[in-house]
C-alpha cells in the first residue's frame, strides 16, 4: 500500500500518530472562518479580564504587565475616537510603531471597528512608507513620536494626502494625539463581526521584480496562525513565551502578537532594539522557556557570552534557512536544539520541525521539516506541474484546497496573483525550491530565481552556505552565481568573518577545500569576498540580487 504521507499527486501530508492535529485544524478553520467571526472577541474579549496579555520589558529589564481587560477598555475608547474621526469598516489604518502598549491598543481598536491594519516597519524610509499608504484607502497613520519626522511632506510624501497622522507625541498642525484618543468618553462601538472573509491585516511582501505586493490576511487566516502556535512551537500552559521578531513583519505580528492573544497566552515584548547581551539577560531574568527568532539572532547570540540560569525548553527559527552549525551550537551550549520552520506572509507557517508531542520527530540536518496539519504540500517539477521525484529539486507548492490556506491573491494585482497559481488552480506556488526525501522531509534549496546553473548542474546556494558557515571563521555567508564563459555560471561566496578573524588568502583556500571536501568538488566557490555585513531586507533575508549587482563584472 502507498503511504499517503510520502507524497504523490495528492501532495505531502503531515505524519501524525493520531488524527487529533487534523481535527484541531478543522476546528480552528471553522471557528475563525465563520460568517459571524469577530476579531475583537476572538483575540481579546473572550479571555479573563485579569489575565496578563503582554509583558512589556524595558531596556533596564523592568517589566509592565498589561491585562486583557485593560486592552479591551483602552481599545474601546480608541475605537470610539476612530469612528468619530471617520474611520469605517474596511478602511486602512497604518501603524509606524515599535513594540509598545500603544501599538497593541491601536491594533485592537482598528480590528474592533472592522478596519484593516497596515504594518509599517520602523526602519522604513519615507519612500517605502508612501508605497504602502498612498492610494490604497488608508485613512490614518498612527506613529510613535520618534518616527513622526518620516511622515513630513517630501518628494515621496506630498503635503496633499488622503490620510491624517495620529502621534504618541505632542500633536501639532493637523495631527491627532494618541493620548486624546485614549481619553475619549464616547460610547464604545459594538465590535464589528467581519466574518472569516474579512481582512484583518494587509502586509506587503517583496518579490524579485516590481514593487512590493499587498497580501490580505483574512480573519480566517488566524486558524493557521493559532495552529502553528499550538503545534509548531508547542506553546503550552506554563510556558514563558518570547518571539523576538518585529511586529512590522509577518512572523512578529502573527506569532508575537496575534497568536498569543488568540490563545490567551502571555507574550513578552522587548521595547528596545536587538542587542545580544540584552537578549541573554531577558531570557534569564524572565525565565523564558519558549523562544522564537530568526537565524541571524541565534548567530549573534552564539558570539555573545551566555549567562547561567537559563530554563529554555523550546527554540524555534523562521525567516530564512537555519544552517546546521547553529543547531549544533544550540545543542552543545544550551542543551536544546533549534527547530527550523518555513512559511510565507501569504500562507503562514506551512512546513515545520514541530515541537508538539503529537508531531515531534527527529531533525534531519538542513531540513525545514514536514507539512503542518491543515496544509497539503507538494514539490512540483521545475518544468511542469507534475510532482517531482523523491530527491529531485522542485517548486514548493501548497494545495489550494488545504484546510488552512486562505490566500487567494494579492490586492489589486490580478496578473501577479495569477502567476502564483498553477493553470488548473490546484496549487499555490511559493517561489521556493526544495526537495523531499523518502520520509517526507523537505530541504530548502533556494528561491526559484536563486538556482545556480553550472555545466548542466542545478545548484542551490543553501547547501554550499551550510558548509561554509560550519567553519568557525565564518559568521554569515551568501552564495550567488555569476556568468562564466565556459560553464554558464560559477559560484562565488560573499562572507562575513567571525569576530576577531582577519580573513586572508589562506582562509579563502581553506574554505574552498572545505566545500570540495564536504559537498562536491564542482560546487566550490571560485571566489570568496569578505564584507563587513550582508545586505538584507528589514526582516533579515539576504538580498542576493544586490550582491549580484556588486560582484558581477
Amino acid at each position: 500500500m502507498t503511504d499517503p504521507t510520502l507524497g504523490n499527486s495528492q501532495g505531502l501530508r503531515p505524519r501524525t500518530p493520531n488524527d487529533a492535529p487534523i481535527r484541531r485544524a478543522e476546528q480552528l478553520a471553522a471557528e475563525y472562518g465563520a460568517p459571524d467571526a469577530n476579531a475583537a472577541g476572538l483575540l481579546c474579549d473572550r479571555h479573563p479580564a485579569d489575565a496578563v496579555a503582554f509583558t512589556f520589558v524595558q531596556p533596564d529589564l523592568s517589566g509592565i504587565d498589561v491585562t486583557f481587560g485593560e486592552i479591551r477598555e483602552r481599545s474601546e475608547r480608541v475605537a470610539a475616537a476612530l469612528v468619530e474621526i471617520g474611520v469605517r469598516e474596511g478602511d486602512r489604518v497604518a501603524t509606524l510603531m515599535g513594540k509598545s502598549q500603544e501599538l497593541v491598543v491601536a491594533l485592537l481598536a482598528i480590528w474592533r471597528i472592522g478596519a484593516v491594519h497596515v504594518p509599517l516597519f520602523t526602519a522604513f524610509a519615507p519612500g517605502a512608507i508612501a508605497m504602502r499608504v498612498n492610494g490604497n484607502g488608508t485613512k490614518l497613520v498612527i506613529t510613535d513620536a520618534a518616527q513622526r519626522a518620516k511622515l513630513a511632506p517630501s518628494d515621496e510624501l506630498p503635503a496633499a494626502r488622503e490620510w491624517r497622522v495620529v502621534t504618541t507625541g505632542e500633536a501639532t498642525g493637523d495631527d491627532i494625539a494618541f493620548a486624546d484618543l485614549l481619553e475619549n468618553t464616547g460610547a464604545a462601538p459594538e465590535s464589528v463581526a467581519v466574518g472569516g472573509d474579512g481582512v484583518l491585516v494587509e502586509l506587503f511582501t517583496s518579490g524579485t521584480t516590481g514593487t512590493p505586493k499587498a497580501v490580505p490576511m483574512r480573519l480566517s487566516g488566524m486558524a493557521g496562525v493559532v495552529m502553528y502556535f499550538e503545534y509548531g512551537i508547542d506553546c503550552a500552559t506554563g510556558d514563558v513565551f518570547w518571539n523576538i521578531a518585529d511586529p512590522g513583519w509577518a512572523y512578529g505580528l502573527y506569532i508575537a502578537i496575534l497568536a498569543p492573544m488568540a490563545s490567551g497566552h502571555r507574550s513578552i515584548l522587548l521595547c528596545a532594539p536587538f542587542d545580544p547581551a540584552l537578549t541573554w539577560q531577558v531570557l534569564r531574568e524572565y525565565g523564558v522557556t519558549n523562544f522564537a527568532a530568526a537565524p541571524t539572532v541565534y548567530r549573534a547570540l552564539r558570539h555573545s557570552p551566555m549567562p547561567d540560569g537559563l530554563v529554555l525548553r523550546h527554540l524555534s527559527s523562521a525567516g530564512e534557512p537555519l544552517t546546521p552549525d547553529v543547531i549544533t551550537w544550540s545543542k552543545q551550549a544550551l542543551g536544546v536544539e533549534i527547530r527550523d520552520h518555513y512559511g510565507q506572509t501569504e500562507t503562514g507557517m506551512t512546513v515545520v520541525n514541530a515541537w508538539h508531542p503529537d508531531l515531534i520527530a527527529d531533525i534531519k540536518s538542513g531540513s525545514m521539516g514536514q507539512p503542518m496539519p491543515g496544509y497539503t504540500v507538494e514539490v512540483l517539477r521545475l518544468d511542469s506541474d507534475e510532482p517531482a521525484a523523491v530527491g529531485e529539486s522542485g517548486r514548493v507548492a501548497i494545495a489550494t484546497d488545504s484546510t488552512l490556506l486562505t490566500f487567494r491573491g494579492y490586492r489589486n494585482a490580478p496578473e501577479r496573483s495569477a502567476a502564483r497559481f498553477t493553470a488548473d488552480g490546484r496549487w499555490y506556488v511559493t517561489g521556493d525550491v526544495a526537495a523531499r526525501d523518502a520520509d517526507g522531509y523537505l530541504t530548502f534549496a533556494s528561491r526559484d530565481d536563486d538556482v545556480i546553473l553550472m555545466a548542466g548542474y542545478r545548484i542551490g546556494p543553501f547547501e554550499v552556505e551550510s558548509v561554509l558557515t560550519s567553519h568557525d571563521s565564518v559568521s554569515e555567508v551568501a552564495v550567488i552565481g555569476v556568468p562564466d564563459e565556459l560553464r554558464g555560471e560559477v559560484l562565488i561566496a560573499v562572507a562575513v568573518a567571525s569576530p576577531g578573524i582577519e580573513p586572508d588568502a589562506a582562509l579563502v583556500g581553506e574554505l574552498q577545500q572545505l566545500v570540495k571536501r564536504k559537498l562536491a568538488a564542482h560546487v566550490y566557490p571560485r571566489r570568496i569576498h569578505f564584507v563587513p555585513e550582508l545586505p538584507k531586507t528589514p526582516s533579515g533575508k539576504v538580498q542576493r540580487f544586490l550582491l549580484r549587482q556588486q560582484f558581477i563584472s
Side-chain angles (χ1 to χ4, degrees):
M1 174 179 287
T2 301
D3 184 344
T5 66
L6 297 186
N8 48 38
S9 60
Q10 301 303 310
L12 289 158
R13 295 178 176 82
R15 293 176 175 273
T16 61
N18 56 61
D19 62 357
I22 300 298
R23 293 200 309 271
R24 180 57 175 157
E26 293 170 346
Q27 178 188 18
L28 289 169
E31 181 179 24
Y32 288 94
D36 61 348
N38 183 307
L42 290 167
L43 295 171
C44 178
D45 300 352
R46 63 175 172 171
H47 301 308
D50 60 351
V52 175
F54 296 96
T55 297
F56 295 91
V57 179
Q58 308 305 308
D60 64 359
L61 293 182
S62 63
I64 301 171
D65 289 338
V66 178
T67 66
F68 283 100
E70 290 170 327
I71 292 173
R72 176 173 185 171
E73 189 268 334
R74 295 171 191 172
S75 67
E76 286 179 338
R77 278 187 269 145
V78 173
L82 294 181
V83 171
E84 291 178 9
I85 294 169
V87 181
R88 299 290 182 264
E89 181 179 349
D91 287 341
R92 269 65 183 162
V93 178
T95 58
L96 182 61
M97 308 174 78
K99 302 167 188 174
S100 65
Q101 297 182 58
E102 290 88 350
L103 171 64
V104 172
V105 170
L107 297 183
L108 262 295
I110 292 166
W111 296 326
R112 194 171 291 283
I113 62 176
V116 178
H117 172 225
V118 179
L120 301 173
F121 184 50
T122 53
F124 281 160
I129 295 169
M131 194 282 301
R132 290 162 171 80
V133 299
N134 288 339
N136 69 343
T138 296
K139 288 291 185 70
L140 291 176
V141 178
I142 306 176
T143 181
D144 290 334
Q147 297 285 327
R148 176 62 182 86
K150 293 180 180 178
L151 303 177
S154 64
D155 291 342
E156 296 89 357
L157 288 167
R161 52 185 61 167
E162 302 169 352
W163 41 269
R164 296 181 65 184
V165 174
V166 175
T167 176
T168 60
E170 182 180 352
T172 59
D174 193 41
D175 284 7
I176 302 166
F178 192 83
D180 290 343
L181 303 187
L182 283 169
E183 296 300 322
N184 187 280
T185 57
E190 184 176 349
S191 59
V192 175
V194 297
D197 282 340
V199 178
L200 198 66
V201 178
E202 187 169 274
L203 286 136
F204 286 74
T205 185
S206 298
T208 54
T209 59
T211 58
K213 306 175 291 293
V215 179
M217 192 271 200
R218 294 176 173 80
L219 181 53
S220 56
M222 279 298 304
V225 170
V226 175
M227 190 70 188
Y228 171 71
F229 191 68
E230 294 181 2
Y231 281 88
I233 60 180
D234 183 37
C235 195
T237 301
D239 263 335
V240 177
F241 175 68
W242 183 22
N243 174 11
I244 199 172
D246 192 282
W249 297 96
Y251 195 67
L253 179 62
Y254 292 175
I255 311 305
I257 293 181
L258 283 164
M261 289 200 76
S263 303
H265 196 106
R266 179 176 72 121
S267 178
I268 288 176
L269 294 179
L270 175 61
C271 307
F274 172 69
D275 174 78
L278 179 58
T279 301
W280 281 126
Q281 288 179 304
V282 174
L283 289 170
R284 181 188 62 194
E285 296 302 319
Y286 282 83
V288 174
T289 60
N290 199 317
F291 181 63
T296 50
V297 169
Y298 290 112
R299 285 194 287 266
L301 292 176
R302 180 173 58 173
H303 295 295
S304 177
M306 182 183 68
D308 294 327
L310 299 174
V311 290
L312 291 163
R313 185 176 77 93
H314 290 342
L315 298 172
S316 301
S317 176
E320 60 174 304
L322 183 68
T323 50
D325 61 298
V326 181
I327 301 175
T328 299
W329 162 78
S330 73
K331 291 174 70 174
Q332 293 175 346
L334 302 172
V336 183
E337 62 192 9
I338 305 170
R339 289 184 163 250
D340 198 10
H341 302 152
Y342 165 84
Q344 292 188 317
T345 301
E346 293 92 334
T347 66
M349 306 305 292
T350 53
V351 179
V352 300
N353 287 289
W355 277 109
H356 192 280
D358 283 352
L359 298 178
I360 196 166
D362 290 340
I363 291 177
K364 292 193 176 184
S365 180
S367 172
M368 58 194 189
Q370 302 181 67
M372 275 279 295
Y375 296 96
T376 299
V377 180
E378 183 59 276
V379 178
L380 302 178
R381 292 174 59 93
L382 293 171
D383 57 359
S384 76
D385 293 339
E386 297 301 315
V390 169
E392 177 186 357
S393 290
R395 296 168 296 148
V396 178
I398 303 169
T400 52
D401 62 357
S402 295
T403 303
L404 297 178
L405 181 66
T406 61
F407 178 72
R408 302 169 193 165
Y410 304 107
R411 187 185 190 214
N412 297 332
E415 292 184 2
R416 298 172 83 179
S417 298
R420 277 295 182 209
F421 295 88
T422 56
D424 59 9
R426 290 182 58 203
W427 302 101
Y428 163 77
V429 182
T430 65
D432 290 314
V433 174
R436 60 176 170 85
D437 67 12
D439 295 321
Y441 285 78
L442 276 76
T443 297
F444 180 88
S446 67
R447 289 287 300 173
D448 57 7
D449 53 0
D450 285 335
V451 170
I452 301 164
L453 299 176
M454 188 183 75
Y457 294 101
R458 290 181 178 268
I459 302 168
F462 178 61
E463 289 180 291
V464 184
E465 291 164 0
S466 295
V467 172
L468 291 170
T469 55
S470 70
H471 195 287
D472 290 341
S473 296
V474 177
S475 175
E476 292 186 287
V477 67
V479 170
I480 59 174
V482 298
D484 179 80
E485 183 176 350
L486 178 62
R487 302 173 182 85
E489 283 187 298
V490 294
L491 281 72
I492 71 169
V494 185
V496 178
S498 297
I501 298 297
E502 291 293 333
D504 55 18
L507 176 58
V508 169
E510 187 177 337
L511 292 170
Q512 290 172 326
Q513 290 301 318
L514 181 67
V515 175
K516 288 181 180 181
R517 187 171 70 251
K518 286 198 170 184
L519 195 55
H522 71 281
V523 301
Y524 83 93
R526 265 56 178 181
R527 303 196 309 269
I528 299 178
H529 301 274
F530 282 91
V531 296
E533 61 182 11
L534 297 175
K536 297 177 182 176
T537 66
S539 59
K541 295 182 180 179
V542 175
Q543 295 176 302
R544 287 187 174 83
F545 75 96
L546 291 179
L547 295 176
R548 294 190 191 100
Q549 292 174 6
Q550 181 177 355
F551 291 101
I552 291 177
S553 58

